[in-house]
Amino acid sequence: MSSHSEEDAFEGAVSLSARAMAARPAPYLDDLNPAQRQAVEALDGPVLMLAGAGTGKTKALTSRIVHLLAQGRARPDQVLAVTFTNKAAREMKTRIGRMLGETVEGMPWLGTFHAICVKLLRRHAELAGLKSNFTILDTDDQLRLHKQLIVAANIDEKRWPPRMLSGIIDGWKNRAWTPDKVPAAEAGAFDHKAVALYAEYQARLRELNAVDFGDLLLHMVTIFQTREDVLAQYQARFRYILVDEYQDTNVAQYLWLRLLAGKAHNICCVGDDDQSIYGWRGAEVGNILRFEKDFPGATVVRLEQNYRSTGHILAAASGVIAANKGRLGKTLWTAGEEGEKVRLIGHWDGEEEARWVGEEIEAMQGGTRGMAPMSLDDMAILVRASHQMRAFEDRFLTIGLPYRVIGGPRFYERMEIRDAMAYFRLAVSPEDDLAFERVVNTPKRGLGDKAIQTIQTTARANGVSLVEGARLCAEDGLVKGKGGAALALLVKQIGRWHGQVLDEADTHVELAEMILDESGYTSHWQNDKTPEAPGRLENLQELVKALEEFENLQGFLEHVALIMDNGSEAEGAKVSIMTLHAAKGLEFPAVFLPGWEDGLFPSQRSMDESGLKGLEEERRLAYVGITRAEELCTISFAANRRVYGQWQSALPSRFIDELPEAHVEVLTPPGLYGGGYGAAGMAAASPVLQGMAGSELHHKASRADVYNSPGWRRLQTRSQERGMSQPREARAMTINLEAVSAFSEGDRVFHQKFGYGRVTGIEGDKLEISFEKAGTKNVVGRFVVPAAQADDVPF
DNA sequence: TTGCGCCGGCTTTTT
DNA sequence: GCCGGCGCAA
């Protein structure tokens, strides 16, 4: 294998520096706190490093690797270090390199689970019935195949959507179940057809000499399980194993690790059960909870000293996560300052929330909030679901506040990029049927379903690839007219491009440009008049630029199949907007956590589908969110929010109730509603608070303890006696009745959002109101005021 | 074959 | 309220 020689070439360099380090006292050890140091120095046997947020996990992990090398316990190529993301892998490489004072290309087995499995599987492809140049399908290709299989099996794809099948098969692969290993209890899935379809899918993949992401792990696990000799070879090679983010491993990854760890059990897993937020995609928190059982005699080290956040922020996060059961348990502490309390604020609706956050950010940026001016780069808005981003984007666009959305559609997932890549794939290997299918009619060549059908049958009948089939169709006139001519040209072009790839006469960058021009793909977007066309052309240019860093097209395609990197953009300071999931591992001086409303966060769907387990994962997400903040954390919620076009009232999140009051400061909303800041007056005069109270009351049956939220408590009872002696039920009834009895049919009313209208029906606490501007709506009674009073509401 | 209009569905996302 | 997928009409 060529990779062997590469590895060996670098070994010398790294070992040298490793020896140099061993000679002098290890400076990297002095940098560590006692817990970190223990985790680094416990070299033998299994180690579980429980690393809370911001406790220097990566530092400990990289120091451990350096220590292993420095102590001469292993050569760089005998250390297996796995991460989940390429970003994490890259960071580890950089940091190790920095510590060793040179590059560590000599660590060939530091990478993501998937990248390492690709490397292994290419060496042993034949054991999985593949050729070593197999292609890696992305989710899109996968879905198309599943759809084809469903159609072929005459299954109604309305009732049994391909997405569902993909989900089922992915889930099975995550659990390392090959088609024959799917347990009987699961066989009912997809109208009892999933197992058969799964088997067909695997067969089809083998025909295509392709694997999907799940297969990378699954094939390797199967090989290790069935071929002791192969397993033994790698057990011997990998003297030390290190795993990052262990709480995110799924069953397949877990089995893979256990197999490789063998008897020596020199495995060090780093993770934080409190940050397990990927259960929905197969991660098993159980893996980390079970570690000591799986690896008896394990050293467990807790990293609890936090270097990131202030005391109040840590305490707030700890208070929330404490409500989860079955934790391994950690107590984060900091030697730093208490800092500012976590701020909590409620708003009337989502737009107002966005407006407030925008103003707050501008104030912080200008230093007018009593703190030193802060760069926009130091602020982030973390949301539960990406659709929440829109409100902020809209607002920031209006006020001209620069922002960046992190984790949107990734560069390599964009349509134009995928199309272009399909052309490249065809040039590299004309047998790539999926690539051919993708671009055969892009740009439009007058080749519709019928033509493609014909090509497919012809190819099938002759046992050749689709490109070959297409050539036959064009020659034999099976596809006629304009389409036929276009098809003949395309086939000819593919042949020529492939020839040019082979004889390497042109650089691959030139070739790529040529392919995009000749195929008509560039002009396709040049002629496109839609507003996004220029952006797409730009992306294509960027793609070609990205090619420059690679030796050839093949190398590039290989890289891209595994690495979905965002095109990086630097210029100018910007506020970051991203989901909580995307924020994991990041940190910002100031963090905004909007949308803390029950149903949105925690997400209703998560709770419906996964019950308590789902809720606990949501809570961990809350914990992740809060612990992203270094100095200032602001949580907010809105009483009303537009969900799928409908206005809905919402309760403050139950997680707000769990914030320890001592570490939270409740902000009163700005003077928009009534100006007076006296608590009692606020509660009486402010529609915001009436709305809050009302919505809480509305849901009282499901949520008995909503009144425990510090925000609510303070705002409602600041001037009253502490303690909630009054029975909730009774109070609820009182206010509820008031609210309902306030209106009768025919009343003219005013609503903050919909304006003036007339009550046309009453049902319980809901009013049907015919609004002058907004049409007929069902509105909860407490959100409207008699029209006459509305004139008194200050704006 | 393509383009348009309607209907349904709708967290989170890495590899 | 928006997007994507499908079916139908030209």
Side-chain angles (χ1 to χ4, degrees), chain A residues 585-601:
Chain A
L586 304 179
E587 57 187 32
F588 299 88
V591 166
F592 290 89
L593 301 169
W596 280 42
E597 294 129 41
D598 250 44
L600 182 59
F601 186 43

Side-chain angles (χ1 to χ4, degrees), chain A residues 561-600:
Chain A
L562 285 172
I563 298 178
M564 295 287 194
D565 262 334
N566 250 330
S568 54
E569 33 134 16
E571 90 263 18
K574 295 183 169 95
V575 188
S576 302
I577 307 177
M578 69 190 95
T579 63
L580 287 162
H581 283 92
K584 191 170 151 207
L586 304 179
E587 57 187 32
F588 299 88
V591 166
F592 290 89
L593 301 169
W596 280 42
E597 294 129 41
D598 250 44
L600 182 59

Side-chain angles (χ1 to χ4, degrees), chain A residues 635-652:
Chain A
I635 296 171
S636 60
F637 59 94
N640 298 287
R641 195 174 288 279
R642 207 164 15 185
V643 185
Y644 304 139
Q646 294 288 111
W647 281 98
Q648 303 216 298
S649 63
L651 305 174

Side-chain angles (χ1 to χ4, degrees), chain A residues 661-725:
Chain A
E661 200 177 346
H663 304 284
V664 175
E665 176 194 2
V666 179
L667 304 183
T668 44
L672 191 58
Y673 300 106
Y677 281 92
M682 281 292 294
S686 158
V688 173
L689 301 179
Q690 280 174 5
M692 280 168 59
S695 52
E696 286 173 1
L697 295 168
H698 184 57
H699 291 87
K700 68 178 158 47
S702 57
R703 295 294 328 289
D705 57 346
V706 288
Y707 300 99
N708 274 330
S709 115
W712 200 90
R713 202 151 55 200
R714 252 192 250 215
L715 291 162
Q716 290 292 313
T717 66
R718 190 171 301 170
S719 57
Q720 294 175 18
E721 215 72 53
R722 285 293 237 95
M724 311 287 292
S725 50

Side-chain angles (χ1 to χ4, degrees), chain A residues 249-362:
Chain A
T249 50
N250 62 32
V251 174
Q253 288 154 342
Y254 163 77
L255 289 173
W256 185 83
L257 287 169
R258 274 209 77 160
L259 286 161
L260 282 173
K263 293 209 181 68
H265 282 177
N266 279 330
I267 183 168
C268 170
C269 294
V270 185
D272 180 359
D273 49 320
D274 292 333
Q275 292 187 67
S276 162
I277 55 174
Y278 286 110
W280 50 274
R281 66 177 196 210
E284 293 276 342
V285 214
N287 290 347
I288 194 166
L289 300 178
R290 246 190 6 251
F291 187 85
E292 288 175 88
K293 274 203 197 114
D294 287 336
F295 299 98
T299 311
V300 179
V301 183
R302 285 180 162 74
L303 303 192
E304 297 178 308
Q305 182 176 5
N306 177 291
Y307 298 97
R308 178 187 295 159
S309 312
T310 62
H312 280 309
I313 290 169
L314 280 187
S318 304
V320 170
I321 198 66
N324 269 6
K325 307 230 170 3
R327 302 169 54 217
L328 291 171
K330 282 183 303 313
T331 316
L332 293 187
W333 60 278
T334 174
E337 301 188 354
E338 281 291 280
E340 288 204 43
K341 290 185 177 181
V342 169
R343 306 185 304 162
L344 175 68
I345 183 166
H347 300 280
W348 166 250
D349 64 14
E351 280 157 46
E352 142 116 27
E353 183 181 53
R355 198 176 315 135
W356 185 84
V357 169
E359 279 162 18
E360 198 62 13
I361 288 173
E362 288 183 323

Side-chain angles (χ1 to χ4, degrees), chain A residues 719-735:
Chain A
S719 57
Q720 294 175 18
E721 215 72 53
R722 285 293 237 95
M724 311 287 292
S725 50
Q726 201 179 3
R728 286 157 191 174
E729 252 48 41
R731 265 187 3 167
M733 286 309 289
T734 322
I735 301 176

Side-chain angles (χ1 to χ4, degrees), chain A residues 511-525:
Chain A
L511 179 59
E513 278 172 332
M514 193 173 78
I515 291 172
L516 293 181
D517 284 344
E518 290 187 0
S519 62
Y521 194 69
T522 312
S523 43
H524 163 67
W525 286 114

